Amino acid sequence: MSDLDFPDLSRKLGRIRSRVRKNYFRCDTRFAQSLHEKLLVALNCHLRTCREGARVQRQLRTEANPAVRESLERRLGDCIGDLESGGRGFYPWHLLDAVDPDPDFGGYHHPTAAMWCPGPIPEWMAVGDEHLCGLGPILRRIAAQTGIRFTTYLCDTGIGPDGAGALDPEIYERPIGNFRYR
């Protein structure tokens, strides 16, 4: 049985969700609001997974039937896998474009070009804190407290010192390679 403390993780995520909701109303751009909304979607998904994981762990403590236990253990593994693929493992949870590093080959997969690129992910792809309306420190806190990582990569050079104001909202509302926000 997993030693992941689902109730504790759920409490942490719930507190962070409250902070994101409060911060949402301070956003001064549609771009930042969109990122806050996407983060809330992700946090709600993780909270549902935590509730399901806690429920399955409770059932496993008392279940004696081997076939039922096996099914519950598979479900618990699915919950842990959902959390891992949602940021706790190799792949982070993408709030914008899905740019995935490939540490085995020292590069990354570029979603627009649909190809592997050598070297680190370019700095210009990472949306800076100045465009996130307070979301940057929250994302770092989530990573520190839970291990769940979020990215804000945007494969468009149109975001600059003035933010994403000139970008077509379609660019950040429907990120490249990111099926979660369609």
Side-chain angles (χ1 to χ4, degrees), residues 146-163:
T146 67
I148 297 172
R149 298 172 299 124
F150 292 89
T151 69
T152 55
Y153 295 124
L154 191 62
C155 297
D156 189 295
T157 57
I159 190 162
D162 298 327

Side-chain angles (χ1 to χ4, degrees), residues 67-93:
V68 174
R69 281 190 66 79
E70 183 178 331
S71 174
L72 289 170
E73 287 170 357
R74 262 195 314 265
R75 181 63 196 133
L76 184 61
D78 289 346
C79 290
I80 293 168
D82 288 349
L83 288 171
E84 287 175 347
S85 66
R88 290 179 64 102
F90 176 71
Y91 294 107
W93 190 285

Side-chain angles (χ1 to χ4, degrees), residues 28-35 38 95-97 122-133 135 151-169 171-173:
D28 56 2
T29 66
R30 178 65 198 132
F31 178 73
Q33 287 174 337
S34 174
L35 288 176
K38 289 176 175 118
L95 297 179
L96 290 169
D97 295 339
E123 285 290 319
W124 65 264
M125 283 188 182
V127 177
D129 285 356
E130 68 273 14
H131 304 298
L132 301 177
C133 292
L135 197 59
T151 69
T152 55
Y153 295 124
L154 191 62
C155 297
D156 189 295
T157 57
I159 190 162
D162 298 327
L167 288 177
D168 178 359
I171 291 171
Y172 54 84
E173 294 288 341

Side-chain angles (χ1 to χ4, degrees), residues 23-154:
N23 199 64
Y24 174 83
F25 294 106
R26 296 184 187 123
C27 292
D28 56 2
T29 66
R30 178 65 198 132
F31 178 73
Q33 287 174 337
S34 174
L35 288 176
H36 280 71
E37 291 165 359
K38 289 176 175 118
L39 181 56
L40 289 169
V41 166
L43 292 173
N44 287 331
C45 180
H46 288 320
L47 284 164
R48 280 190 302 275
T49 299
C50 286
R51 283 191 295 273
E52 174 70 9
R55 184 185 66 75
V56 170
Q57 279 181 333
R58 283 191 305 274
Q59 288 178 318
L60 271 169
R61 287 187 197 114
T62 58
E63 185 58 56
N65 183 328
V68 174
R69 281 190 66 79
E70 183 178 331
S71 174
L72 289 170
E73 287 170 357
R74 262 195 314 265
R75 181 63 196 133
L76 184 61
D78 289 346
C79 290
I80 293 168
D82 288 349
L83 288 171
E84 287 175 347
S85 66
R88 290 179 64 102
F90 176 71
Y91 294 107
W93 190 285
H94 303 293
L95 297 179
L96 290 169
D97 295 339
V99 181
D100 290 316
D102 189 345
D104 292 337
F105 296 103
Y108 63 96
H109 295 279
H110 194 291
T112 305
M115 61 186 275
W116 178 83
C117 300
I121 298 170
E123 285 290 319
W124 65 264
M125 283 188 182
V127 177
D129 285 356
E130 68 273 14
H131 304 298
L132 301 177
C133 292
L135 197 59
I138 293 172
L139 295 176
R140 288 187 289 280
R141 176 176 283 149
I142 293 169
Q145 291 180 356
T146 67
I148 297 172
R149 298 172 299 124
F150 292 89
T151 69
T152 55
Y153 295 124
L154 191 62

